[in-house]
């Protein structure tokens, strides 16, 4: 039985990629698993001229192509698409919102839905204010009666710097209450990111070690093998710092770094994360070169195939200064983390697709087992693999059998795929369900978004204002500029490389 109230899910940008690849397949999977109520409707909005039937057919194609559960059950699929409707709408035309209101009213009557609307803004952010204002003019933002709800989900980016984020938050908060607003960060919906909380707070053995006394440093990696694909136009105005670090990766860092909550409630979790963001030590313009390395992929040959540079991608400025790689060292100035460096590395066209967190524990204070064979004692590592091959790995030293006391690092490895009944749902399934249930725990709050921009802005500004800060080229298929290694104070330290570069003779990639 579903706990979700009857609802209409209204998608601005209903014909776009996000709707096709993520939103509609996620809603279908929720429906298939019985998580949606008997009465609901989905209304796609866009400028294209579909009718309900032709829109439904496109959505069937999307589900067939992108649904997690394949093949979709035919009966369920046809029942599901009968709940989908389409209305053409030009977001800048007020009269179209009047028509939208009428259409919502008629669907609501026909499908027996009692006034609960979830608006999803899968649009470029420059439309957020415009659309919200029109929803207000039409009175669509306010609860119809006691017990019914109106909510709005905003896709990232929330602003492109602190100033624009503040202005966007202010405008939207003039129309909707904070608890009606859901700022989506799909990384927070990933099962393995949620599991960081369970791992930390449902186990007694790790938490005592989770601080500056035992942890040497923390590494967060989000590598992508793909380039910018067909998103050059957007990406060239964004770059890796805004696209990945400002949101997904700092959210992961906060999940790793936050204090335990006393009750698992949205406010408590978000308050603790906010404290982490507020404790981020600002990187001054003169420190940017010491703490941040940026790169951009250049031409290369991967397994005999030519791969062209970022500047040759569609809709990218041939002289673009946009970074497709960032490596960043930062500190969280609080009691738990004082002095522990956090390292983030992300990029496009790296050797493989992998997102992971590596907790590097301090080495033993004294090395007892000194042998000729120099297996230098490594600190223990805890590796939380967020994707793919979701799981957790612990590395520790073991005696190599035989004479002497040679120590070798071995692994204890858990894979989600070993759980026979495990089905890792898509991030969007969890997040959409939460928004329908009114649970904002896994969504970003206005104050957090602004606190993160406060940290990001000086880096971005230093890059923009100081052209002498280098943008390093790195061949596509490699782990980014070698200068990224210089972020470690200790020259024996290095990043973790889950596989080798793809460009050399010995190129391989196996996790
Ligand atoms: C998006 C970024 O938010 O996340 C993309 O805009 C990036 O550039 C994507 O490719 C990565 O998401 P995932 O879930 O594939 O790791």
């Amino acid at each position: 039985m579903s706990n979700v109230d009857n609802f209409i899910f209204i998608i601005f940008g209903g014909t776009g990629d996000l709707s096709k690849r993520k939103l509609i397949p996620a809603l279908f999977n929720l429906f298939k698993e019985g998580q949606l109520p008997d009465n609901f409707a989905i209304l796609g909005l866009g400028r294209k001229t579909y009718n309900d039937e032709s829109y439904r057919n496109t959505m069937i194609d999307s589900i067939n192509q992108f649904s997690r559960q394949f093949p979709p059950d035919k009966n369920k699929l046809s029942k599901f698409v009968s709940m989908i409707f389409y209305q053409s709408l030009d977001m800048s035309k007020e009269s179209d919102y009047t028509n939208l209101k009428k259409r919502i009213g008629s669907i609501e009557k026909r499908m027996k839905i009692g006034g609960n609307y979830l608006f999803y803004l899968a649009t470029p952010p420059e439309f957020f204010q415009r659309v919200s204002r029109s929803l207000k003019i039409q009175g669509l933002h306010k609860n119809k009666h006691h017990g019914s709800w109106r909510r709005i989900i905003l896709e990232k980016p929330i602003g492109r710097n602190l100033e624009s984020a503040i202005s966007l938050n202010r405008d939207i908060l003039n129309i909707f209450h904070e608890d009606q607003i859901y700022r989506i960060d799909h990384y927070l919906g990933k099962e393995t990111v949620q599991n960081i909380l369970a791992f930390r707070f449902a186990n007694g053995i790790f938490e005592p070690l989770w601080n500056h006394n035992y942890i040497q440093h923390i590494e967060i990696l989000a590598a992508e093998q793909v380039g910018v694909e067909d998103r050059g136009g957007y990406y060239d105005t964004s770059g890796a710092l805004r696209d990945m670090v400002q949101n997904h990766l700092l959210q992961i860092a906060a999940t790793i770094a936050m204090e335990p909550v006393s009750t698992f409630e949205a406010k408590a979790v978000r308050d603790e994360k906010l404290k982490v963001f507020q404790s981020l030590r600002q990187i001054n313009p003169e420190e940017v070169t010491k703490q941040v390395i940026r790169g951009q992929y250049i031409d290369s040959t991967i397994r005999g195939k030519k791969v062209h540079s970022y500047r040759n991608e569609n809709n990218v400025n041939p002289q673009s200064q946009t970074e497709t790689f960032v490596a960043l060292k930062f500190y969280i100035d609080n009691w738990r983390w004082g002095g522990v460096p956090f390292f983030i590395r992300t990029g496009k066209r790296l050797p493989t697709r992998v997102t992971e967190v590596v907790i590097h524990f301090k080495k033993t204070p004294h090395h007892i087992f000194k042998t000729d064979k120099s297996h230098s004692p490594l600190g223990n590592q805890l590796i939380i693999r967020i994707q793919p091959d979701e799981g957790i790995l612990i590395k520790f030293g073991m005696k190599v059998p035989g004479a002497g006391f040679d120590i070798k690092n071995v692994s204890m490895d858990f894979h989600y795929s070993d759980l026979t009944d495990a089905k890792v749902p898509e991030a969007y399934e969890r997040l959409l369900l939460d928004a329908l249930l009114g649970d904002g725990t896994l969504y970003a709050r206005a104050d957090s978004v602004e606190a993160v921009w406060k940290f990001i802005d000086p880096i971005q500004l230093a890059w923009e204002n100081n052209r002498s800060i280098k943008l390093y080229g790195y061949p596509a298929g490699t782990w980014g500029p070698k200068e990224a290694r210089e972020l470690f104070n200790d020259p024996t330290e290095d990043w973790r490389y889950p596989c080798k570069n793809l460009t050399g003779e010995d190129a391989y990639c196996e996790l």
Side-chain angles (χ1 to χ4, degrees):
M1 246 279 286
S2 161
N3 293 324
V4 178
D5 303 324
N6 297 346
F7 66 89
I8 306 190
F9 191 95
I10 300 137
I11 314 175
F12 289 85
T15 58
D17 242 27
L18 186 74
S19 302
K20 290 185 198 155
R21 285 170 182 264
K22 299 286 182 191
L23 304 183
I24 298 290
L27 288 167
F28 172 66
N29 283 316
L30 289 174
F31 171 76
K32 191 166 172 232
E33 285 174 358
Q35 310 255 31
L36 300 188
D38 292 340
N39 297 0
F40 73 91
I42 298 166
L43 175 59
L45 306 172
R47 284 165 65 125
K48 294 197 179 126
T49 46
Y50 287 110
N51 55 30
D52 289 343
E53 203 192 327
S54 56
Y55 186 64
R56 284 174 186 163
N57 288 335
T58 334
M59 293 305 126
I60 292 176
D61 292 345
S62 303
I63 292 168
N64 281 327
Q65 206 180 338
F66 299 112
S67 167
R68 170 171 64 87
Q69 313 195 47
F70 192 82
D73 173 320
K74 275 205 170 135
N75 288 336
K76 291 230 158 122
L77 183 57
S78 61
K79 173 99 203 315
F80 175 75
V81 293
S82 70
M83 317 280 209
I84 300 183
F85 303 87
Y86 183 77
Q87 167 97 359
S88 69
L89 174 131
D90 176 344
M91 286 185 285
S92 50
K93 235 165 115 191
E94 200 49 52
S95 57
D96 281 9
Y97 291 89
T98 315
N99 295 337
L100 171 64
K101 186 178 180 179
K102 281 190 206 136
R103 186 77 201 276
I104 291 177
S106 82
I107 294 174
E108 197 174 23
K109 228 172 174 183
R110 176 162 153 204
M111 308 295 281
K112 301 193 177 61
I113 295 167
N116 302 324
Y117 307 162
L118 179 56
F119 298 101
Y120 198 113
L121 271 53
T123 66
E126 50 273 25
F127 288 103
F128 291 175
Q129 277 124 314
R130 174 73 184 85
V131 171
S132 317
R133 223 179 314 124
S134 293
L135 293 178
K136 182 178 177 184
I137 294 171
Q138 300 299 331
L140 289 165
H141 66 305
K142 261 203 191 144
N143 297 350
K144 198 170 182 178
H145 51 78
H146 186 69
S148 71
W149 47 259
R150 303 280 158 94
R151 297 178 189 140
I152 186 164
I153 302 186
L154 305 177
E155 260 298 326
K156 74 168 234 286
I158 306 294
R160 47 178 293 105
N161 52 27
L162 178 60
E163 195 190 347
S164 53
I166 292 176
S167 129
L168 175 62
N169 282 332
R170 191 192 43 226
D171 289 357
I172 306 275
L173 281 163
N174 268 334
I175 297 168
F176 293 93
H177 272 272
E178 180 63 47
D179 58 10
Q180 293 178 282
I181 306 170
Y182 292 76
R183 296 174 195 79
I184 202 161
D185 183 315
H186 78 280
Y187 266 57
L188 293 181
K190 289 187 192 273
E191 189 60 38
T192 37
V193 174
Q194 294 169 51
N195 190 48
I196 296 174
L197 292 175
F199 183 79
R200 286 191 56 200
F201 303 136
N203 295 296
I205 59 172
F206 299 107
E207 201 49 29
L209 307 180
W210 214 259
N211 57 55
H212 64 99
N213 289 320
Y214 300 99
I215 293 179
Q216 174 73 34
H217 68 272
I218 291 180
E219 200 183 324
I220 300 171
L221 164 69
E224 291 186 89
Q225 203 170 25
V226 292
V228 287
E229 301 176 289
D230 51 2
R231 297 165 70 230
Y234 149 75
Y235 196 87
D236 209 32
T237 61
S238 166
L241 187 68
R242 287 193 177 105
D243 187 50
M244 292 293 289
V245 180
Q246 191 276 336
N247 34 71
H248 309 324
L249 300 181
L250 284 169
Q251 284 287 348
I252 294 181
T255 312
I256 292 286
M258 66 185 265
E259 292 302 317
V261 286
S262 42
T263 47
F264 195 60
E265 280 166 10
K267 180 171 179 330
V269 172
R270 293 155 120 197
D271 284 350
E272 289 308 330
K273 283 195 172 168
L274 175 64
K275 288 183 204 160
V276 174
F277 296 135
Q278 287 171 333
S279 311
L280 291 171
R281 189 189 301 168
Q282 294 270 317
I283 301 179
N284 299 323
E286 59 281 7
E287 284 159 352
V288 165
T289 48
K290 287 190 222 125
Q291 286 187 234
V292 195
I293 297 294
R294 58 175 173 162
Q296 189 188 76
Y297 59 84
I298 56 175
D299 294 329
S300 85
T301 305
I302 298 179
R303 299 193 180 111
K305 234 178 115 193
K306 285 238 171 289
V307 177
H308 58 71
S309 67
Y310 173 68
R311 289 181 183 173
N312 279 316
E313 299 277 14
N314 282 341
N315 300 323
V316 167
N317 176 350
Q319 269 115 43
S320 174
Q321 291 292 310
T322 301
E323 78 290 354
T324 59
F325 173 97
V326 187
L328 163 78
K329 173 166 74 174
F330 64 97
Y331 292 89
I332 298 172
D333 284 337
N334 65 15
W335 198 272
R336 184 186 285 263
W337 297 113
V340 178
F342 281 68
F343 294 86
I344 280 180
R345 191 175 34 147
T346 184
K348 302 233 180 238
R349 282 268 187 245
L350 299 189
T352 187
R353 173 173 184 257
V354 58
T355 303
E356 63 179 25
V357 178
V358 189
I359 313 289
H360 295 263
F361 290 95
K362 287 189 174 164
K363 294 176 187 166
T364 53
H366 173 59
H367 310 317
I368 306 174
F369 305 111
K370 290 178 185 136
T371 59
D372 299 341
K373 294 183 196 161
S374 75
H375 280 121
S376 67
L378 292 167
N380 297 104
Q381 292 179 358
L382 171 75
I383 300 164
I384 302 171
R385 279 194 309 263
I386 290 170
Q387 64 188 22
D389 186 18
E390 294 82 359
I392 292 179
L393 177 74
I394 298 185
K395 295 202 169 209
F396 56 96
M398 277 266 299
K399 179 181 173 303
V400 176
F405 269 88
D406 197 15
I407 308 295
K408 185 181 173 193
N409 246 20
V410 295
S411 304
M412 232 159 53
D413 205 352
F414 160 72
H415 301 261
Y416 270 76
S417 55
D418 292 344
L419 297 173
T420 43
D421 54 351
K423 47 174 180 56
V424 178
E426 276 275 327
Y428 275 91
E429 291 172 36
R430 168 65 193 247
L431 292 172
L432 296 186
L433 184 62
D434 280 3
L436 289 167
L437 289 166
D439 181 352
T441 313
L442 301 177
Y443 284 84
R445 209 167 56 187
D447 46 9
S448 286
V449 173
E450 290 171 17
V452 179
W453 276 121
K454 205 166 160 204
F455 172 71
I456 293 291
D457 263 9
I459 307 173
Q460 197 74 51
L461 277 174
W463 287 347
E464 281 161 22
N465 297 338
N466 184 352
R467 288 285 165 193
S468 71
I469 299 180
K470 287 200 177 116
L471 170 68
Y472 297 95
Y474 63 96
T478 65
W479 281 107
K482 59 182 184 329
E483 286 75 7
R485 190 171 171 182
E486 287 159 20
L487 295 181
F488 293 92
N489 299 336
D490 175 350
T492 64
E493 296 281 5
D494 200 352
W495 301 93
R496 191 178 115 86
Y497 301 101
C499 66
K500 287 193 184 172
N501 290 336
L502 297 181
T503 47
E505 288 274 294
D506 55 354
Y508 87 100
C509 203
E510 195 182 318
L511 291 182

